Each structure stands twice: as structure tokens, then as C-alpha cells.
């Protein structure tokens, strides 16, 4: 029977450094690399095929949104991490991990539309933002009264048209835009709509673009949710149809806050 391995409860920094130095001995490490090189090469070759597919997929999605081209690498990292999650998790575990990864990249200022489109291309449907927040046990807006600030139906005319503009007290603004009338346009031009969100950060300043999304053809989920955003000194949401027959778009926006 082999001797029982002595258990060390704690090691000093110098002891850990010496252990690392022993593991990094060139002769020991070279033998390890030689024995695992073949297996590693097979994995590298296999992943490179997937990597090229991920790059092509991300570029295809990002190219639909001209203003996001500078963040292509950021979206590529997101896609790679999602792909690794698909290899590791299934069912509810995959959903939870994907939702939280999405939330991390969304908080970094990346486009909600692009993040969801990348996930969908990998077979993942990201949960609504309110469901993700509920999973975290964060109570948002409990006890607050929602007040309607804009409602109607707008018919596109090719220009950038304002759906809602709010310049009151600092609040959270959210709403829905119905894109049900968009069609794929075969053989006519494909209906294409651009939704932009602007915020005013300084009281006497100009509006600054905060988010933009382009929607083409028939929508699988036509009720577009404009997620809650702090209004600052002003918030404006616009719609512009740039291709196809001009369509009508119902919308509803509410505010929460004082």
C-alpha cells in the first residue's frame, strides 16, 4: 500500500514559487509538450474551422449595423465565449450562462440587437432583460407607477421620424414598436427600418446617439422592446424606413420614476 500523501494546509509565497519553478524545468516541460502535442494539434485544427465560421458569422451580422463595425472584435469574443458555453452546458444551465454573458456584454455598451442575433445564430435565444434581472434577485421598479408618455401609429415616409421625445424629470423610459408589417419583399425591395435611440447628457447639450438597430424583412419576433434607459436630460427614439414600401408602425412608450 503506497504511503499516504502528506497534506499541506498552507504554503508560503516562496514555497509556491519554488513549486512553480520545479514544474517549469525545461526538461520536464519539454517531455510533457512532446507527449501532448499530437492531441493538441488535432484540437487546434478542429477549432480553427469553427473559428473561421464564427468570424464569418459575426462579420455578417455586424455589417448590417454600420455604426458597430469598430466593435467587431468585441462581438467576436462574445461569440467565442458563447460557443464554448454550448460545448459545456445544456438545458437550463446553458440558458443561465448565456443570459449572464449577454448581460455582461450589454452592460459594456454593446448592441442588444447584435448580441441577441449572434446568440440566435448559435441556437441560443437570450431571455428578456427583465427575466435575467429577476434571476439575479434584483427588484427593479417594484412599487413604481408606469405612466404612458407616447402612443400612436406612425407611417414611414423615408425620413427619420420621432416616435417619442421626453425631456421631463430623470426617469427610466421603455416601450414597444410593432414591426409586424415588415416583409421580405420578394420580388420587391426588402423592407428595412432603422431604429435609433438618443440621449441628452447635458442640460443644454445636443442629443447623442446611444443605440441603433437595423431590421430587414419579416421579423420572427415583431414586437420590438426598447429596453429601459435613463432619460438623463432628454431621450428620443426615432424610426426611419430606408427601403421597401412604406409601412405603418404602432408604438407605445412609458416612463417610471417620480
Amino acid at each position: 500500500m503506497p504511503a499516504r500523501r502528506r497534506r499541506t494546509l498552507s504554503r508560503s509565497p516562496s514555497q509556491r514559487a519554488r513549486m512553480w519553478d520545479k514544474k517549469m524545468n525545461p526538461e520536464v516541460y519539454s517531455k510533457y509538450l512532446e507527449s501532448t502535442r499530437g492531441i493538441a494539434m488535432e484540437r487546434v485544427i478542429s477549432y480553427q474551422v469553427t473559428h473561421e465560421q464564427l468570424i464569418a458569422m459575426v462579420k455578417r451580422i455586424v455589417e448590417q449595423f454600420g455604426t458597430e463595425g469598430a466593435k467587431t472584435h468585441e462581438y467576436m469574443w462574445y461569440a467565442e465565449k458563447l460557443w464554448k458555453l454550448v460545448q459545456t452546458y445544456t438545458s437550463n444551465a446553458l440558458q443561465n450562462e448565456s443570459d449572464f454573458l449577454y448581460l455582461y456584454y450589454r452592460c459594456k455598451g454593446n448592441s442588444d440587437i447584435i448580441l441577441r442575433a449572434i446568440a440566435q445564430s448559435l441556437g441560443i435565444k437570450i431571455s428578456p432583460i427583465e427575466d435575467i434581472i429577476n434571476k439575479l434577485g434584483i427588484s427593479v421598479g417594484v412599487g413604481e407607477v408606469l405612466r404612458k408618455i407616447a402612443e400612436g401609429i406612425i407611417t414611414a415616409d423615408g425620413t427619420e421620424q420621432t416616435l417619442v421625445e421626453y425631456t421631463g424629470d430623470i426617469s427610466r423610459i421603455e416601450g414597444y414598436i410593432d414591426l409586424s408589417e415588415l416583409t421580405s419583399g420578394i420580388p420587391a425591395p426588402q423592407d428595412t427600418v432603422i431604429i435609433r435611440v438618443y440621449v441628452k447628457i447635458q442640460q443644454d447639450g445636443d442629443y447623442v446617439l446611444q443605440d441603433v438597430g437595423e431590421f430587414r424583412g419579416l421579423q420572427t419576433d415583431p414586437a420590438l422592446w426598447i429596453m429601459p434607459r435613463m432619460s438623463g436630460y432628454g431621450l428620443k427614439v426615432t424610426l426611419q424606413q430606408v427601403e421597401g414600401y412604406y409601412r405603418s408602425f404602432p408604438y407605445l412608450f412609458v416612463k417610471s420614476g417620480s
Side-chain angles (χ1 to χ4, degrees):
M1 182 175 180
R4 179 178 296 179
R5 183 178 179 180
R6 186 176 63 181
R7 183 180 180 185
T8 303
L9 296 180
S10 62
R11 296 186 178 92
S12 68
S14 60
Q15 286 176 320
R16 292 184 181 278
R18 286 195 296 271
M19 289 181 63
W20 176 86
D21 184 62
K22 185 177 180 180
K23 292 178 182 178
M24 294 298 106
N25 181 288
E27 293 183 2
V28 174
Y29 206 65
S30 63
K31 290 180 181 179
Y32 169 77
L33 290 177
E34 188 64 32
S35 64
T36 59
R37 182 178 179 182
I39 298 174
M41 179 59 72
E42 291 180 5
R43 293 181 178 178
V44 168
I45 293 174
S46 175
Y47 176 71
Q48 286 306 313
V49 175
T50 300
H51 184 67
E52 291 299 319
Q53 293 173 344
L54 289 175
I55 291 176
M57 179 264 288
V58 170
K59 285 184 175 180
R60 184 179 68 253
I61 293 173
V62 173
E63 282 174 359
Q64 299 178 21
F65 308 88
T67 60
E68 292 292 296
K71 295 184 178 180
T72 300
H73 280 91
E74 181 87 358
Y75 292 117
M76 185 62 217
W77 296 329
Y78 169 69
E80 286 184 334
K81 291 177 181 178
L82 272 181
W83 179 82
K84 290 178 181 177
L85 292 180
V86 172
Q87 312 309 307
T88 307
Y89 300 98
T90 60
S91 192
N92 290 337
L94 175 60
Q95 186 68 60
N96 290 336
E97 293 290 336
S98 302
D99 285 346
F100 297 149
L101 181 64
Y102 155 84
L103 187 61
Y104 170 74
Y105 276 87
R106 188 69 187 94
C107 289
K108 293 179 71 177
N110 297 298
S111 168
D112 167 70
I113 301 164
I114 295 179
L115 294 175
R116 290 179 182 276
I118 291 173
Q120 189 168 3
S121 294
L122 293 173
I124 303 168
K125 185 174 182 179
I126 300 298
S127 301
I129 189 70
E130 60 266 33
D131 291 350
I132 300 175
I133 292 174
N134 286 337
K135 289 179 186 178
L136 295 172
I138 300 173
S139 177
V140 178
V142 175
E144 291 183 329
V145 177
L146 297 178
R147 181 164 64 86
K148 181 173 62 179
I149 57 173
E151 179 182 23
I153 300 176
I154 194 169
T155 300
D157 60 10
T159 65
E160 185 175 2
Q161 299 166 272
T162 298
L163 301 179
V164 60
E165 182 173 7
Y166 183 79
T167 57
D169 54 289
I170 295 178
S171 305
R172 283 196 300 274
I173 309 296
E174 61 183 296
Y176 284 103
I177 305 172
D178 185 354
L179 304 178
S180 298
E181 286 201 9
L182 293 182
T183 67
S184 296
I186 300 173
Q190 182 172 234
D191 291 343
T192 304
V193 165
I194 297 176
I195 305 295
R196 298 181 178 91
V197 179
Y198 300 88
V199 294
K200 187 180 290 188
I201 300 172
Q202 295 180 313
Q203 191 167 14
D204 299 323
D206 297 325
Y207 279 108
V208 180
L209 184 66
Q210 190 270 327
D211 199 5
V212 60
E214 185 173 293
F215 302 85
R216 300 176 182 227
L218 184 66
Q219 300 294 302
T220 304
D221 302 307
L224 174 64
W225 182 47
I226 305 299
M227 62 183 293
R229 290 169 166 82
M230 186 181 73
S231 62
Y233 289 103
L235 183 140
K236 180 169 64 173
V237 180
T238 68
L239 177 149
Q240 182 179 13
Q241 186 169 350
V242 296
E243 191 173 13
Y245 295 111
Y246 292 144
R247 309 293 182 181
S248 295
F249 305 91
Y251 60 91
L252 171 66
F253 286 88
V254 299
K255 70 175 283 287
S256 59
S258 58

